[in-house]
Amino acid sequence: MDRRHFLKNTTLASSLFFIPSFIRAFEDTLSSNLGYKRLVIIQLSGGNDGLNTIIPFQNDIYYRSRPKLALKRPDLIPITDDLAFHGALKPLKRLYDQGLLSIINNVGYPNPNRSHFRATDIWQTASPSNMYYKNGWIGRFLDQHGNEPYNAIELNESLSLALQGKKLSGMAFENPNTFYQLSQDPFIKQVTKQNEDTHLSEHNLGYLYKTMIAAESSAKYIHEKNTIKNSSIDYPKNGLAYQLKTTASFINSRLKTKVFYASLDGFDTHVNQVKTHSKLLKTYAETVEVFVNDLKVHGTFDDTLILTFSEFGRRVKQNSGNGTDHGTANNVFVIGNKLKKPGVYNPLASLSDLDDQGDIKFEIDFRTIYATVLNTWLDADADSILNHQFNQLDFI
């Protein structure tokens, strides 16, 4: 088995904590109790068209700006007197009707960046648009409140900047069984055994060896604690569904993981947007509804909060390719059973008062959402994690 392949596919913490087994067992017992809150983040990568997700179906400007993209009433699911879901979001409407969804409109930040890479970095690090942070907002949370790489897991082959901390980072893998099998490589086992036999200090261990030791330890923990191997819930057949099915298995097994990260790609709809966007929204909505039901069956939904974002929205006017170009402000979905204000959290911004690029003006800084989640849900100090004081919202 290729050692380099193992290391490439296991992005792990930059610092390790060697915890005696009896302390770890005690913490595992605590994490299985009710009240262990978890955050699931879903990124709609590519820049979701929020204006064709939550549609202002009474607004003439919307229809004039999008003569071929604007959705007509038969294709909509009204939720207020002037807003409606895209017709592909019927499963999300069911969650909405149960009071499990809050829609936050006009979310963005000052001096927005329309580059996919830079905008994603800004959202994942919570930096101002004119500053560059090396660590993600979840990574900085782990620095303060984590002790093992598996405290934050991304179901992907590489670790997003969001989960990378200065002292401790989360971990990324696509398949937990493959991850465990790779960790059983004889070379890895030899390194970990040597450390156990010689009791080398962290100072004397090189970064590569520390990473391998953490990988082996985390893989073993996940393999042993993941007891929900085959869910009775029937998930759709798509990549996001596989990520969320694995996430549900971990949550329902009461793994000591605080944050899970998943993503759905394909939202960069510059050309022929209608069919592509509809399919993506249907994939998202159907998968999330099944995921929520899976957690409900196992009694873990009450302690799970789901946050969905995209790195930016799209331009109000359609382009010549029957698509939309990069925009700025967008909607964010928060799903959970502890919402203070389910439904539409705030009205959609004016379509007659756009910025100089023809984009919706932001009204809610996305970092106020992070601050609310950190302080209220994860019981953390948002000011120190976000490197700034942000007002909190009132959705949880």
Side-chain angles (χ1 to χ4, degrees):
M1 187 170 293
D2 191 341
R3 301 163 190 166
R4 290 174 298 176
H5 178 68
F6 172 74
L7 293 173
K8 178 182 177 182
N9 288 279
T10 54
T11 309
L12 298 168
S14 59
S15 81
L16 306 175
F17 295 82
F18 299 99
I19 304 174
S21 59
F22 71 93
I23 295 179
R24 178 172 291 174
F26 176 69
E27 289 180 339
D28 290 344
T29 301
L30 289 179
S31 71
S32 67
N33 294 336
L34 295 176
Y36 189 86
K37 290 184 170 59
R38 296 167 175 86
L39 172 66
V40 178
I41 302 172
I42 303 174
Q43 179 176 351
L44 306 181
S45 299
N48 177 45
D49 183 9
L51 201 57
N52 263 25
T53 301
I54 304 298
I55 297 98
F57 66 95
Q58 300 278 29
N59 195 310
D60 291 339
I61 298 175
Y62 167 73
Y63 290 99
R64 290 200 303 269
S65 301
R66 299 181 167 208
K68 293 186 178 180
L69 292 187
L71 299 174
K72 307 303 187 289
R73 290 205 180 193
D75 301 318
L76 302 176
I77 309 171
I79 52 177
T80 69
D81 290 340
D82 55 1
L83 292 178
F85 279 122
H86 187 293
L89 295 176
K90 289 180 181 179
L92 209 62
K93 174 61 161 55
R94 289 192 284 268
L95 298 179
Y96 179 95
D97 290 341
Q98 297 171 52
L100 303 178
L101 169 65
S102 183
I103 302 167
I104 307 177
N105 291 306
N106 323 317
V107 181
Y109 54 91
N111 303 311
N113 193 297
R114 293 171 176 81
S115 159
H116 288 294
F117 303 105
R118 179 62 189 140
T120 296
D121 282 355
I122 290 169
W123 274 83
Q124 291 193 355
T125 65
S127 73
S129 61
N130 62 347
M131 296 181 67
Y132 291 79
Y133 289 175
K134 295 181 180 180
N135 309 117
W137 72 286
I138 296 300
R140 298 195 297 274
F141 165 76
L142 292 176
D143 283 341
Q144 294 186 16
H145 298 274
N147 53 27
E148 295 287 352
Y150 55 73
N151 293 149
I153 294 176
E154 179 168 3
L155 278 305
N156 204 338
E157 64 178 6
S158 60
L159 190 69
S160 296
L161 181 57
L163 277 67
Q164 297 178 30
K166 183 178 181 181
K167 298 184 298 181
L168 180 66
S169 295
M171 60 192 309
F173 52 82
E174 291 183 307
N175 186 309
N177 295 326
T178 302
F179 175 52
Y180 176 72
Q181 292 169 7
L182 289 169
S183 74
Q184 300 305 298
D185 179 270
F187 176 72
I188 306 296
K189 301 296 289 184
Q190 181 181 354
V191 170
T192 56
K193 185 177 187 305
Q194 180 181 358
N195 175 67
E196 292 172 355
D197 291 344
T198 59
H199 302 288
L200 292 174
S201 68
E202 182 180 344
H203 176 74
N204 292 325
L205 281 171
Y207 173 78
L208 189 61
Y209 285 96
K210 290 189 290 185
T211 300
M212 287 189 290
I213 292 168
E216 195 274 339
S217 175
S218 296
K220 180 180 179 182
Y221 171 82
I222 294 170
H223 181 74
E224 291 177 349
K225 297 299 179 183
N226 183 23
T227 58
I228 312 296
K229 302 293 185 181
N230 297 306
S231 173
S232 60
I233 304 297
D234 187 19
Y235 278 78
K237 306 299 182 183
N238 62 70
L240 179 63
Y242 179 80
Q243 294 174 67
L244 292 187
K245 182 177 182 179
T246 304
T247 297
S249 174
F250 290 164
I251 292 175
N252 294 334
S253 297
R254 272 68 173 184
L255 261 67
K256 194 175 58 177
T257 304
K258 297 292 291 185
V259 181
F260 297 90
Y261 203 97
S263 60
L264 177 62
D265 299 333
F267 286 89
D268 195 18
T269 51
H270 288 281
V271 180
N272 298 326
Q273 174 178 305
V274 173
K275 289 185 178 179
T276 299
H277 194 231
S278 178
K279 182 178 179 180
L280 287 167
L281 292 181
K282 184 174 186 289
T283 295
Y284 167 76
E286 288 180 347
T287 303
V288 167
E289 183 185 39
V290 172
F291 176 63
V292 168
N293 290 338
D294 196 349
L295 299 183
K296 285 182 177 180
V297 167
H298 290 87
T300 55
F301 180 61
D302 283 358
D303 293 320
T304 302
L305 188 73
I306 306 166
L307 176 69
T308 300
F309 80 97
S310 195
E311 68 263 31
F312 46 61
R314 314 297 291 190
R315 197 66 48 85
V316 172
K317 287 188 177 181
Q318 70 174 60
N319 61 25
S320 59
N322 293 327
T324 49
D325 295 326
H326 299 179
T328 55
N330 207 351
N331 37 54
V332 167
F333 295 154
V334 183
I335 298 172
N337 202 27
K338 304 289 185 180
L339 301 179
K340 276 189 177 181
K341 192 175 180 181
V344 178
Y345 184 84
N346 59 314
L348 184 69
S350 172
L351 297 187
S352 61
D353 181 22
L354 305 177
D355 68 12
D356 56 3
Q357 298 291 319
D359 292 322
I360 293 174
K361 292 181 179 179
F362 95 94
E363 294 180 349
I364 292 181
D365 193 308
F366 74 95
R367 290 161 296 188
T368 64
I369 297 175
Y370 289 177
T372 305
V373 170
L374 287 166
N375 284 333
T376 306
W377 190 255
L378 295 177
D379 195 24
D381 178 15
D383 294 356
S384 62
I385 292 171
L386 300 178
N387 299 317
H388 188 80
Q389 184 175 5
F390 293 96
N391 294 328
Q392 286 190 219
L393 303 182
D394 197 32
F395 57 87
I396 49 175

